[in-house]
Amino acid sequence: MQESDLSAVVAIAGLVHPDYPESPEVFAERLRLFEQGCWIAVGHDDGARGHARGYAIMHPAVLGQPPALNSLLHRLPVHADCLYLHDVALTEAARQSGLGGALVELIRQQALSSGYSHAALIAVNDSAAYWQRRGFSPYGNADAALAKKIASYDGNACYLVLKIDR
């Protein structure tokens, strides 16, 4: 992902996650703080020009301490111990293309290269079963602060963790 992709990212987020709005500044900040964790899925309709079909945004975090929805980080945590999948969104044209499986492998590789033994995410839009089929499991150490952050998404959101094998 590059800064020039941010308008497409914001547009895709609005289409795919209308119930979970985030300001353009959130996406720009994640790109600025951890560029290597920001990816664009590109489709080629005409064989020449690529069109953004989706994106994934990851960054270092502390296990059990995800950011609340639509919140700025200001800086990455000094004691980060996991890779957090902040957001993933695929347009209708990109679904069923195998990108989900490729994304899980990308998460694993990014976590390994960053030195983390876990990845985490908050599953929304009834996607928990999807992520659990790919190896994520519910986090067992939920506290009041984590419950409050999860609730900033919605009542059905679920914090999931993936153990990364080295």
Side-chain angles (χ1 to χ4, degrees):
M1 183 183 300
Q2 299 174 359
E3 193 172 324
S4 60
D5 296 315
L6 289 173
S7 61
V9 167
V10 170
I12 292 168
L15 288 172
V16 176
H17 299 305
D19 296 332
Y20 308 99
E22 291 194 291
S23 71
E25 292 80 15
V26 169
F27 299 110
E29 181 197 55
R30 299 310 192 268
L31 178 61
R32 181 179 53 78
L33 291 175
F34 199 67
E35 182 180 353
Q36 63 268 39
C38 298
W39 296 83
I40 290 286
V42 178
H44 296 278
D45 292 335
D46 58 12
R49 209 174 64 210
H51 300 282
R53 300 298 178 116
Y55 64 86
I57 298 174
M58 302 170 252
H59 59 79
V62 175
L63 198 58
Q65 298 179 22
L69 181 65
N70 196 32
S71 64
L72 295 174
L73 300 175
H74 304 290
R75 66 186 183 294
L76 295 175
V78 174
H79 302 293
D81 60 1
C82 75
L83 183 68
Y84 181 71
L85 179 58
H86 171 82
D87 193 10
V88 60
L90 299 174
T91 63
E92 201 61 46
R95 293 185 189 144
Q96 306 300 322
S97 65
L99 285 174
L103 175 61
V104 173
E105 184 54 30
L106 179 64
I107 293 167
R108 288 180 198 279
Q109 293 306 314
Q110 184 72 55
L112 283 171
S113 69
S114 299
Y116 301 123
S117 59
H118 291 88
L121 58 84
I122 293 179
V124 297
N125 289 332
D126 297 317
S127 65
Y130 172 88
W131 291 109
Q132 288 176 310
R133 286 192 304 273
R134 281 149 183 83
F136 285 80
S137 57
Y139 184 65
N141 300 326
D143 59 14
L146 177 57
K148 183 177 179 179
K149 286 184 182 174
I150 294 169
S152 75
Y153 289 81
D154 68 36
N156 294 322
C158 182
Y159 185 72
L160 302 174
V161 176
L162 175 68
K163 173 79 171 119
I164 307 293
D165 296 319
R166 296 187 183 273

